[in-house]
Amino acid sequence: MPFPIWVGVCIFNDLAIAARVLQTLGLVQSVLIVDLDVHQGDGTAVIFADDPSVFTFSMHCEVNFPGTKQQSDLDVPLPAGMEDEAYLQTLAAHLPDLLDRVQPDLVLYDAGVDSHFDDRLGKLALSDRGLFCRDMQVLTTCRQRGYPIACVIGGGYADDFEALVYRHSLLHRAAGDVAAQSQFLIGA
Ligand SMILES: [Zn+2]
């Protein structure tokens, strides 16, 4: 099966390719893509628009790029300026039910950090702690329900490079904490 390529910020859609390779190898059948980058996962939405084996979930800032949104299987547009508590509550209102509904063989998680309040392109207002809590929430929700999850870092456009590196490290710190409690995670 040829890989469709959606050209946006990145030439290759790593999550789409990973999902297709794993399916082709017969390692998984159904995949849930959880895209929490502040920009909509529009490429992923288009690539899997007619494919019920890959469920696309995007939670993003509604007024952010792209101006014209695509249709994911589940889109949760967020108002500009949303802070930690409201964000985490919104995520908690969707992810557990989504896992129960889709029952994927694998979750692929895009942990973009451009939802940080200090991001140049973000327009949301999460703190470092909020990003860490978000990652812990995704990981523990999947683990508690028995769903394997693989994670990638995503967008992040801060002028302070060290601060940006630290924000990306939060995913690895969260995954390390969760993995220390269980040998459940793969590829994190
Ligand atoms: Zn982004």
Side-chain angles (χ1 to χ4, degrees):
M1 181 182 301
F3 299 131
I5 298 174
W6 185 254
V7 179
V9 176
C10 301
I11 296 175
F12 300 105
N13 186 313
D14 50 357
L15 296 182
I17 292 173
R20 276 286 182 261
V21 169
L22 291 171
Q23 288 180 320
T24 301
L25 293 174
L27 297 175
V28 302
Q29 293 183 333
S30 63
V31 177
L32 168 62
I33 294 179
V34 176
D35 190 332
L36 300 187
D37 189 280
V38 81
H39 304 97
Q40 190 203 27
D42 56 339
T44 312
V46 170
I47 290 169
F48 296 115
D50 300 318
D51 184 345
S53 71
V54 180
F55 192 102
T56 54
F57 167 44
S58 177
M59 214 167 86
H60 49 266
C61 181
E62 63 181 345
V63 297
N64 215 322
F65 177 89
T68 301
K69 302 292 190 291
Q70 303 298 322
Q71 185 168 351
S72 308
D73 293 306
L74 176 61
D75 284 304
V76 179
L78 307 172
M82 179 177 269
E83 298 181 348
D84 292 350
E85 186 174 349
Y87 184 97
L88 296 172
Q89 288 179 358
T90 303
L91 180 60
H94 289 93
L95 186 58
D97 290 345
L98 195 55
L99 286 166
D100 293 342
R101 172 179 156 198
V102 178
Q103 300 185 357
D105 297 322
L106 176 66
V107 177
L108 296 178
Y109 171 40
D110 180 338
V113 297
D114 44 10
S115 48
H116 193 272
F117 70 82
D118 202 29
D119 194 275
R120 283 189 291 113
L121 306 180
K123 300 184 181 178
L124 292 186
L126 271 63
S127 66
D128 286 350
R129 183 178 180 280
L131 289 172
F132 180 77
C133 290
R134 176 198 67 173
D135 295 342
M136 284 296 291
Q137 189 171 320
V138 172
L139 292 165
T140 56
T141 301
C142 290
R143 182 181 65 83
Q144 288 168 354
R145 283 167 171 72
Y147 294 107
I149 177 170
C151 311
V152 297
I153 61 173
Y157 309 95
D159 292 325
D160 185 340
F161 193 71
E162 285 194 19
L164 179 61
V165 169
Y166 175 74
R167 283 172 211 152
H168 282 308
S169 80
L170 295 170
L171 173 65
H172 301 79
R173 293 166 196 262
D177 286 354
V178 175
Q181 303 164 11
S182 166
Q183 296 301 311
F184 179 74
L185 295 175
I186 61 171

